[in-house]
Amino acid sequence: GEIRLVYKHVPLPFHQQALPAARAAIAAARQGKFWTYHDALWAAQSRLSQEPYEEIARDLGLDIVSFKLDLQTAQLDLDRDAADAKLADANGTPTFIINGRLLSGAQPLGSFESAFTEARARARELEARGITDHIYERLVGLR
């Protein structure tokens, strides 16, 4: 209950399957199956050039008609994610932002542990001062 994970898609142009994979993951998310679909995509990496997106959706029990429609409108979400990434100065893949602290590129576990420890400490400081609403937004300067 202490961590909220937000996943933003920024498909890199030199990965031929990044864009269709991101669209498919967004379509799956609209049916509440983002992480299940995400994990299935990773497992099927070697087949992505054959575009097994619909097959994976069927295997996961998604409504295929809705999935196909959502594939067509997923670009709006991708555009929004790209704008968010630019605003956050997330210029590389992967990029992690933990309560406003940017971690770019592959990082050792210790970097995440340190960032989470710092984030918890800052949140607890606010709580100790009696501030209990919108803690995340306050920590990243949105309120």
Side-chain angles (χ1 to χ4, degrees):
E2 292 183 328
I3 297 173
R4 174 176 56 178
L5 178 63
V6 177
Y7 192 103
K8 298 289 186 174
H9 299 272
V10 185
L12 300 174
F14 56 86
H15 291 296
Q16 291 181 350
Q17 294 302 311
L19 186 57
R23 286 185 179 132
I26 289 169
R30 291 182 183 166
Q31 294 185 46
K33 297 278 189 168
F34 173 78
W35 287 110
T36 306
Y37 197 90
H38 170 276
D39 293 347
L41 278 176
W42 277 102
Q45 281 185 73
S46 63
R47 299 184 311 136
L48 288 186
S49 63
Q50 299 165 12
E51 299 186 24
Y53 307 109
E54 193 174 316
E55 176 187 331
I56 293 170
R58 273 196 182 85
D59 290 347
L60 297 176
L62 297 179
D63 177 304
I64 297 302
V65 172
S66 294
F67 181 80
K68 287 180 177 180
L69 290 171
D70 289 336
L71 282 174
Q72 296 173 21
T73 59
Q75 189 62 47
L76 296 172
D77 290 12
L78 288 171
D79 293 344
R80 209 172 8 255
D81 285 357
D84 289 347
K86 184 175 182 177
L87 186 64
D89 290 327
N91 298 316
T93 301
T95 296
F96 303 90
I97 302 170
I98 302 170
N99 280 7
R101 179 178 170 187
L102 191 76
L103 294 175
S104 186
Q107 296 288 321
L109 180 60
S111 295
F112 290 98
E113 291 171 338
S114 174
F116 286 130
T117 298
E118 178 186 311
R120 279 190 205 101
R122 290 175 58 211
R124 289 190 178 120
E125 286 173 19
L126 288 177
E127 290 171 340
R129 295 189 344 222
I131 300 169
T132 58
D133 64 323
H134 306 287
I135 289 176
Y136 171 78
E137 289 81 0
R138 292 171 190 269
L139 288 172
V140 298
L142 297 174
R143 281 192 171 230

